[in-house]
Amino acid sequence: DIQMTQSPSSLSASVGDRVTITCRASQNLNSNLAWYQQKPGKAPKLLIYKASTLESGVPSKFSGTGSGTEFTLTISSLQPDDFATYYCQQYHIYWTFGQGTKVEVK
Amino acid sequence: EVQLVESGGTLVQPGRSLRLSCTASGFTFGDYAMSWFRQAPGKGLEWVGFIRINGGTIEYAASVRGRFFISRDDSKSIAYLQMNSLKTEDTAVYYCARPVCEYSGYIWCYFDYWGQGTLVTVSS
């Protein structure tokens, strides 16, 4: 099984901050990685797929980089609506998620 | 508008069975594979199973293999998750999701639409 290690597990940030979340895979994924945002009581929302492709309708303040085993999600300027939990998901072999990163108000 | 609506979640005793439904609308259901995920209270996301177009191939996570079974009725645009021999650790919100797939020998799919989820509580 492919293991996904996401860090940090939580972070505190202020509106306007630049935030970066990292995801490491236990084996090469090429670019088969997606990022999701989840708010309490809601379903996950796709933000990025193929490591760096922005899903239609997702603001360009979200960006993804990486390939192979190391990936990052960056939010360029945090807004109130962005406080949520973020998950990476590998889809190279079946599907596994990182543990999640909760972005909280500082 | 694409919509996925899960139903069937409830409180059930350990060892019993339950069937969840995922009713789709806003797209041609038969043209898509479908998948189920779950999220235990306060925990992360876990893939449960995946059914390809026409139900030709069905894959399961090791944690549910042999107990859970996925099927689909394309005439009704519904995917099902039959859960047998339920355990307390199966307690979770269950989501269905629509995949976007790239086929190149293997199949690589991410998920662009998710239902709102249905809660299954396994407890005596």
Side-chain angles (χ1 to χ4, degrees):
Chain A
D1 291 7
I2 298 178
Q3 309 301 319
M4 303 300 295
T5 303
Q6 193 174 333
S7 61
S9 56
S10 65
L11 64 89
S12 298
S14 301
V15 171
D17 282 355
R18 181 182 180 90
V19 167
T20 297
I21 299 167
T22 297
C23 196
R24 289 185 174 89
S26 60
Q27 64 186 79
N28 181 21
L29 306 180
N30 294 329
S31 295
N32 295 317
L33 184 109
W35 291 96
Y36 298 85
Q37 176 194 67
Q38 188 180 35
K39 295 182 179 179
K42 299 295 186 182
K45 175 187 174 183
L46 177 67
L47 299 175
I48 287 169
Y49 60 93
K50 216 160 191 177
S52 60
T53 303
L54 200 65
E55 170 68 349
S56 176
V58 174
S60 59
K61 62 182 171 180
F62 293 96
S63 63
T65 62
S67 66
T69 61
E70 188 152 338
F71 303 86
T72 61
L73 172 71
T74 299
I75 310 171
S76 61
S77 177
L78 205 63
Q79 296 303 306
D81 190 50
D82 302 330
F83 292 97
T85 299
Y86 294 84
Y87 292 94
C88 61
Q89 178 204 45
Q90 69 82 16
Y91 55 94
H92 190 64
I93 299 175
Y94 297 115
W95 298 272
T96 48
F97 294 85
Q99 305 94 314
T101 297
K102 187 173 184 179
V103 178
E104 299 175 297
V105 177
K106 193 171 189 178
Chain B
E1 179 195 5
V2 172
Q3 281 198 312
L4 299 170
V5 179
E6 301 92 340
S7 59
T10 189
L11 171 64
V12 61
Q13 293 179 325
R16 302 299 290 266
S17 297
L18 191 65
R19 188 179 79 164
L20 306 182
S21 299
C22 169
T23 303
S25 60
F27 65 101
T28 303
F29 183 75
D31 288 349
Y32 287 83
M34 291 298 293
S35 195
W36 286 92
F37 295 86
R38 67 183 180 182
Q39 187 170 36
K43 302 297 184 182
L45 295 157
E46 179 188 16
W47 169 66
V48 171
F50 181 91
I51 183 167
R52 293 206 190 191
I53 294 170
N54 296 324
T57 300
I58 308 173
E59 309 274 6
Y60 299 97
S63 58
V64 305
R65 193 175 298 130
R67 298 187 301 123
F68 288 15
F69 300 93
I70 297 174
S71 60
R72 59 189 298 157
D73 184 337
D74 291 349
S75 69
K76 296 181 179 178
S77 297
I78 300 177
Y80 298 101
L81 178 63
Q82 176 69 40
M83 304 185 293
N84 301 328
S85 304
L86 281 160
K87 306 176 182 180
T88 55
E89 53 263 42
D90 295 320
T91 294
V93 174
Y94 284 75
Y95 296 100
C96 61
R98 187 186 83 164
V100 177
C101 298
E102 175 186 341
Y103 298 86
S104 181
Y106 195 71
I107 177 173
W108 294 283
C109 307
Y110 58 91
F111 299 88
D112 62 347
Y113 284 95
W114 297 63
Q116 85 289 347
T118 187
L119 176 62
V120 174
T121 304
V122 184
S123 175
S124 53

